[in-house]
Amino acid sequence: MTRLLIITTGSHGDHAPYAGLGQALQRHGVRVTLAATSRFEQLALDAGIGFAALPDDPEPIEATERGHRANAGGARGLRALVELGVEQARRQLPSLIAAAADADVIAATIPTLLQARPIAEAHGVPLVVLPLQPALPTREFSTIATRDLGPALNRTLSTLAGRFASRLYAPVVREVRQSLDLPPEDRRQATARIDSLPVLHGFSPAVQARPHDWRPGAEVVGYWWPVAGSRRPRAELLDFLAAGPPPVFIGFGSMATGHTTRLGTAVADALARTGHRAVVQRGWADLRIDTTGPNVITVDHVPHEWLFLRVAAVVHHAGAGTTAAALRAGVPSVPVPHAHDQPFWARRLVALGTAPAVLPAGRADGSRLARCLVEATGSPRYRDNAARIASAVASDDAVTPVLRMLRQLTEGKATA
C-alpha cells in the first residue's frame, strides 16, 4: 500500500480539496496523511484519512496586521506573504521531517514546495506537486497581475515572482538542507530539480485549459472536491431558505484586509438598492453588515457544495476553492478579488460567461455591486453558461491521473 503525505498550508479552501482527494485515493488503496495545523484536523477526520499536526501560528494570521498586508496584493503583499511562509516553515520543520518518515511519496502545494523538496530528498522518496492554481509561467496569461499583460510580460512577470519568492525562502531552505545533512545546492541546481518534478493541477481544463508552452510533466487534471459534510445546517438557515426566493450568497473567505469594513457597508448598500435576500458568511474576514430584518441572515461556515445549490448568485473573493464551488453548482458569480490568484480566477469567470464583470475589492461600492447583482441574477445567460460549465466540470476524472502518477513514482523508486 502506497503511503502518501500531503503537506498543505493556507486557508480552509487551501486544505479541503486535498482532504477530498485523500478520501478518493484511499478508496483505491493509497494510505493518505494530511499534514496541516490543528484547525484543519476535522477535515482529515471527515475524510477518514490520517492527520499529522503541525505547530499552529502564535496567533491567527488573519487577525494580524502582517496578515492584512499579505492579503493586500502587489509586490509588498507578495513579500509579506512569503515572509510569513518562511517563519511558518521554520516552526514546522521538525514536525514535517517526522511526518515524512513513513511516506512513500510526498505531495506539496506551491507554498509548501520549497521546504518539502529537501525533506523528500533526505528521505529518498519522490515528490509530486499538486497546485490548485496555475503554477508555471506561461505566455498565455498571468496569475500575478490584475490583467493580461501580453505574452512576453505574462511569462516574465510570473518568472520574476517565482525567483523573488525563492530568494526569500533561500535561507530557510539552506537551514533545512543543513539540518538533514544534505549537500548545498546553487540556484541553478535547485531550479533544474524543481523543473523536473511532476505537476498535476487541481482545476478543470474546462475552466482553464493547459497552456501550450508548459513543459512536459505539467498537466491540468480537474478539481478535487471537498468531502461532503455530514452536519446538518442550522435550523435558522433552513427556515430562511424556505421563507422566500433563492437568496444571494455573499462571503469573502479568508481575505481579512483593510477592505472588510468598507465592503460590509457596500454590501448593505447594494442589498438595500436591489432588495435581494442574502446569506452573508462572516469567514476569516469577519464580514459584518449593518442590516437588520428578515431578508438577511449571517452564518459562519456552511459547506459551499450544499449552500450554493440553493442560491441565485455568489458574491465572492474569487479564491480558487470558492470559484470551483460556484462553477460546480452552476450558479452565476459576482467576483470581488482582493489579491494573489484571485484576479485571475475572476477574469476566468467573466471569460466563461458566468459573471458580468470583475469588481476589484478596492473599487467595490454599493452602486457597482448592486448593478452586478442585478445583471447576474436577472440575465438567464449567466446561469445558462454556469450550468454548461458545471456539466463539463462534473465529467472530469481528477483522481485517476494522481493514482497513475503515484504508481509511476513508486515503481520508479522500486527499480532505482
Side-chain angles (χ1 to χ4, degrees):
M1 176 182 289
T2 300
R3 297 165 298 183
L4 173 67
L5 177 70
I6 305 177
I7 304 174
T8 59
T9 189
S11 66
H12 182 274
D14 298 311
H15 289 76
Y18 299 109
L21 172 62
Q23 183 185 66
L25 292 174
Q26 287 208 157
R27 296 193 186 107
H28 294 274
V30 180
R31 195 172 82 188
V32 179
T33 299
L34 182 73
T37 56
S38 60
R39 69 160 71 180
F40 301 108
E41 183 175 8
Q42 190 60 49
L43 290 173
L45 293 174
D46 290 344
I49 62 176
F51 184 76
L54 303 179
D56 288 306
D57 298 313
E59 60 180 323
I61 294 299
E62 67 273 12
T64 68
E65 180 59 33
R66 294 179 69 198
H68 290 184
R69 289 201 302 272
N71 282 334
R76 290 183 179 179
L78 177 60
R79 173 180 283 276
L81 184 68
V82 174
E83 287 175 346
L84 288 170
V86 168
E87 293 176 9
Q88 185 184 66
R90 284 196 169 103
R91 284 194 304 273
Q92 295 180 348
L93 177 59
S95 298
L96 281 174
I97 293 173
D102 295 328
D104 297 312
V105 181
I106 295 176
T109 64
I110 293 304
T112 63
L113 171 60
L114 292 180
Q115 63 263 40
R117 191 174 63 81
I119 293 173
E121 181 181 342
H123 285 289
V125 299
L127 177 67
V128 59
V129 190
L130 303 177
L132 301 177
Q133 52 282 114
L136 281 71
T138 175
R139 294 168 58 86
E140 295 182 18
F141 54 78
S142 172
T143 58
I144 303 297
T146 57
R147 59 186 177 86
D148 191 302
L149 300 174
L153 283 178
N154 282 342
R155 188 177 184 90
T156 299
L157 184 60
S158 295
T159 300
L160 291 175
R163 290 178 181 172
F164 177 67
S166 295
R167 189 173 298 118
L168 291 179
Y169 262 98
V172 74
V173 172
R174 283 195 297 270
E175 293 170 19
V176 174
R177 296 189 69 83
Q178 290 171 0
S179 68
L180 295 170
D181 295 325
L182 294 172
E185 64 179 4
D186 59 31
R187 182 167 63 86
R188 183 174 299 178
Q189 289 172 316
T191 299
R193 290 168 181 170
I194 289 172
D195 287 346
S196 70
L197 294 173
V199 184
L200 304 181
H201 291 81
F203 55 84
S204 175
V207 176
Q208 174 58 64
R210 181 190 185 278
H212 294 89
D213 57 351
W214 273 2
R215 62 170 173 82
E219 303 297 338
V220 175
V221 301
Y223 287 114
W224 304 305
W225 299 116
V227 175
S230 59
R231 284 163 288 187
R232 183 174 174 81
R234 283 172 27 203
E236 294 91 337
L237 176 58
L238 295 173
D239 291 343
F240 177 82
L241 293 172
V248 296
F249 168 90
I250 302 172
F252 303 115
S254 62
M255 298 310 298
T257 69
H259 297 308
T260 302
T261 300
R262 187 177 53 76
L263 282 175
T265 301
V267 167
D269 183 20
L271 294 177
R273 291 168 181 262
T274 66
H276 281 99
R277 304 172 73 238
V279 176
V280 177
Q281 188 172 46
R282 291 186 187 91
W284 289 9
D286 195 26
L287 180 65
R288 299 175 184 272
I289 64 172
D290 185 18
T291 297
T292 59
N295 282 342
V296 177
I297 185 172
T298 301
V299 299
D300 292 310
H301 177 70
V302 179
H304 288 168
E305 66 270 17
W306 178 87
L307 181 57
F308 286 3
L309 293 171
R310 294 162 172 80
V311 301
V314 178
V315 180
H316 59 98
H317 59 303
T322 310
T323 297
L327 292 170
R328 184 188 194 187
V331 63
S333 286
V334 176
V336 186
H338 292 62
H340 313 314
D341 57 332
Q342 297 161 17
F344 167 75
W345 293 119
R347 295 196 303 272
R348 292 307 304 150
L349 290 170
V350 173
L352 294 168
T354 68
V358 176
L359 185 57
R363 298 205 300 269
D365 60 22
S367 176
R368 292 186 179 94
L369 182 55
R371 287 199 298 271
C372 288
L373 270 175
V374 168
E375 186 172 355
T377 58
S379 175
R381 71 176 183 273
Y382 297 110
R383 184 166 286 275
D384 291 344
N385 288 331
R388 174 177 53 81
I389 298 298
S391 177
V393 163
S395 68
D396 291 334
D397 176 4
V399 176
T400 296
V402 180
L403 286 167
R404 187 183 304 119
M405 180 57 64
L406 292 177
R407 284 195 296 269
Q408 292 174 2
L409 292 173
T410 53
E411 289 170 2
K413 179 187 174 185
T415 58

